[in-house]
Amino acid sequence: MPTMMETKPSAARGVDWEAVRAMFNLDSDYIHMGTAQYFASHPRPVREAIERHRDELDKNPALYILKNEVKFAEACRKSAADYFGVEDHKRITLVDSTTVGLGIVYTGLNIQQGREILTSEHNYYSQQEAIKRASERTGCTFREVKYYDDIHSVTEDEMVSNLLAEVTDKTRIIGATWVHSSTGLKSPIPKLAREIAKINEKRGDEDRILLVVDGVHGFGIELETFPELGCDFFCAGTHKWIYGPRGTGIVAATEAGYRHVRPVIPSFSETMYDIISGSPATNVVDGTTMSPGGFHSMEHLWAMPSGFEFSLSIGKEAIYERVHALARMLKEGLAEMDHVLLATPMDDRLSSGIVSFEVKGMTPKEAAQALVHKKVISTEAPYKKRYARFTPGIYISESDVKKALDAVLSLKKS
């Protein structure tokens, strides 16, 4: 199979998107508008990497693990760090999903009684529940605050100012979401981080505000690196827009962030052997000691670098432009239909790859079911306020977008 650079160009930046599409074994009877933000189909390089590890594990599981466990974990951290601009790969924690990442971060953070966690009311269940469990355990308080007044007129400044207006001397953590899986709204994380940094200039280390970000729906589409985002903790699965192995993910954290968190699940890093031998456990917390131990689906975990390599072989800029262009086609088409209410902002600065909408006279579940009958797969956003969602991955074509829009148009009741 030729590499992306060897294929015949048919689009901007020299990417043959038909060749990209051919790397996925997606059922050609359907238009897959509900996969990228949900649970990825493995592209060929990822499938092959998983199969190589699986074959070796099946032939000699004990020797293969003993020989390669540390080496392959290091390779996973390095690939994630290189992709995301993290200076030290030891600041990458390996997890099974965004939810696991958020869980170990909030559970491990040193949040004392009398402090508070501040978050918007629009975050996904996984982050909000992790925050609630942390407050129950430690006695700290948490507040969900209003992020914006109207999704159709929201601005970056409004989101930042609404959150920061609620900051008090007790505020210790701010939990945010990069791209909301309910409405598709993209938060201005770099702007928020810069304003938090200004507040932290007047605070000591034990009082500084830490910014925890659920970043999974920007990770793999947007161009910002971890340093450019400016958060303390970034949690994301790699089995969505990265198209990495299912059941894999990362937490990226700053050195300052790791100083304020403790491991929750025992790690299978070098620390384990120190403890077993009776040596004092290290007080250093980083991605190796934070990574949950135990035996995972090793063939998937160790194939994680193939997902990052696949994305980089296409090009970050090309993927950003492709996904945004397809999403824009969807938004513009849906906005023209008088039986559809578009929730996602049209502006690329305020949105990414999720396009959320309502069909008048139908619940989101009914709309999704009706679309499946028309061979178009969408998903329903699992929130109090629910929407139908289209998520155009890199295997989606302009023709797919047109067919999906035609399917939605056909739902109009006479």
Side-chain angles (χ1 to χ4, degrees):
M1 184 69 191
T3 65
M4 291 299 98
M5 296 305 294
E6 295 169 336
T7 56
K8 181 180 178 181
S10 63
R13 297 187 181 271
V15 176
D16 185 340
W17 293 107
E18 286 301 316
V20 172
R21 182 187 181 96
M23 290 191 177
F24 294 86
N25 281 344
L26 290 160
D27 187 344
S28 60
D29 289 340
Y30 291 87
I31 296 173
H32 297 270
M33 287 286 186
T35 298
Q37 91 342 302
Y38 192 65
F39 206 45
S41 171
H42 292 152
R44 181 177 296 133
V46 175
R47 292 198 307 272
E48 291 173 347
I50 292 171
E51 289 164 6
R52 285 194 300 271
H53 289 300
R54 180 178 294 134
D55 288 346
E56 294 297 328
L57 285 164
D58 285 339
K59 283 189 290 187
N60 205 327
L63 286 182
Y64 195 62
I65 289 175
L66 291 170
K67 180 181 178 181
N68 297 298
E69 184 174 16
V70 173
K71 178 177 70 175
F72 287 157
E74 285 289 284
C76 291
R77 291 189 181 91
K78 287 179 180 176
S79 66
D82 290 344
Y83 177 88
F84 204 24
V86 179
E87 182 180 358
D88 183 354
H89 70 276
K90 289 186 179 294
R91 295 179 187 170
I92 299 292
T93 296
L94 303 178
V95 294
D96 296 340
S97 64
T98 312
T99 299
V100 172
L102 290 165
I104 65 172
V105 167
Y106 280 108
T107 302
L109 279 168
N110 180 25
I111 312 171
Q112 303 298 325
Q113 189 171 6
R115 303 295 183 93
E116 72 168 9
I117 303 172
L118 191 65
T119 181
S120 93
E121 59 188 7
H122 301 285
N123 292 341
Y124 182 56
Y125 163 87
S126 295
Q127 180 157 207
Q128 304 305 69
E129 284 300 301
I131 291 170
K132 290 177 184 178
R133 300 291 84 80
S135 69
E136 291 170 356
R137 186 184 68 261
T138 65
C140 76
T141 58
F142 74 93
R143 287 188 294 137
E144 297 178 353
V145 301
K146 193 171 185 178
Y147 205 32
Y148 54 84
D149 289 322
D150 185 347
I151 189 70
H152 300 101
S153 59
V154 64
T155 66
E156 291 183 340
D157 289 342
E158 178 187 12
M159 288 183 273
V160 173
S161 62
N162 280 356
L163 262 183
L164 295 184
E166 299 291 335
V167 169
T168 70
D169 291 341
K170 295 181 179 180
T171 306
R172 186 73 170 82
I173 310 291
I174 291 180
T177 298
W178 196 2
V179 178
H180 292 217
S181 59
S182 54
T183 61
L185 174 68
K186 181 168 65 179
S187 296
I189 298 298
K191 285 187 177 182
L192 177 61
R194 287 193 293 270
E195 294 304 313
I196 292 173
K198 293 177 183 178
I199 296 172
N200 284 337
E201 289 175 358
K202 301 176 182 178
R203 296 190 177 199
D205 188 58
E206 291 302 315
D207 295 318
R208 72 188 304 271
I209 297 172
L210 300 173
L211 176 58
V212 180
V213 172
D214 173 348
V216 67
H217 291 300
F219 196 48
I221 304 173
E222 303 303 310
L223 298 176
E224 286 88 351
T225 63
F226 180 62
E228 288 169 344
L229 287 171
C231 54
D232 295 282
F233 294 94
F234 179 94
C235 306
T238 53
H239 50 222
K240 294 183 186 285
W241 300 95
I242 293 288
Y243 308 100
R246 293 185 284 268
T248 61
I250 67 163
V251 174
T254 60
E255 183 180 2
Y258 277 125
R259 287 201 304 268
H260 295 279
V261 71
R262 302 301 298 173
V264 173
I265 301 172
S267 171
F268 273 16
S269 65
E270 295 85 346
T271 305
M272 178 180 74
Y273 297 99
D274 292 336
I275 294 172
I276 290 172
S277 65
S279 301
T282 179
N283 289 322
V284 174
V285 179
D286 60 15
T288 62
T289 55
M290 280 290 289
S291 296
F295 289 117
H296 307 269
S297 299
M298 310 307 285
E299 60 267 45
H300 280 227
L301 174 63
W302 293 342
M304 183 189 289
S306 64
F308 293 113
E309 291 162 5
F310 173 69
S311 290
L312 291 173
S313 74
I314 300 171
K316 284 185 174 183
E317 293 82 5
I319 291 174
Y320 171 91
E321 291 172 4
R322 181 67 171 179
V323 173
H324 275 270
L326 294 172
R328 196 176 308 112
M329 286 180 63
L330 285 167
K331 289 184 288 187
E332 290 174 352
L334 292 169
E336 292 177 356
M337 300 181 193
D338 58 13
H339 70 299
V340 170
L341 297 173
L342 178 66
T344 307
M346 197 70 70
D347 192 336
D348 281 0
R349 292 171 298 180
L350 295 171
S351 61
S352 188
I354 295 176
V355 178
S356 301
F357 60 96
E358 297 177 82
V359 177
K360 294 178 182 178
M362 304 180 78
T363 67
K365 184 175 183 179
E366 289 170 342
Q369 290 174 338
L371 289 169
V372 168
H373 289 305
K374 298 177 182 298
K375 301 298 184 180
V376 176
I377 298 176
S378 63
T379 56
E380 177 190 8
Y383 290 80
K384 185 176 181 179
K385 171 61 177 176
R386 301 190 174 194
Y387 297 98
R389 295 178 299 192
F390 281 156
T391 52
I394 56 176
Y395 38 73
I396 293 295
S397 67
E398 291 87 346
S399 174
D400 290 333
V401 170
K402 292 176 183 177
K403 291 176 182 177
L405 290 171
D406 286 342
V408 176
L409 185 61
S410 72
L411 302 182
K412 183 177 181 178
K413 298 181 179 180
S414 57

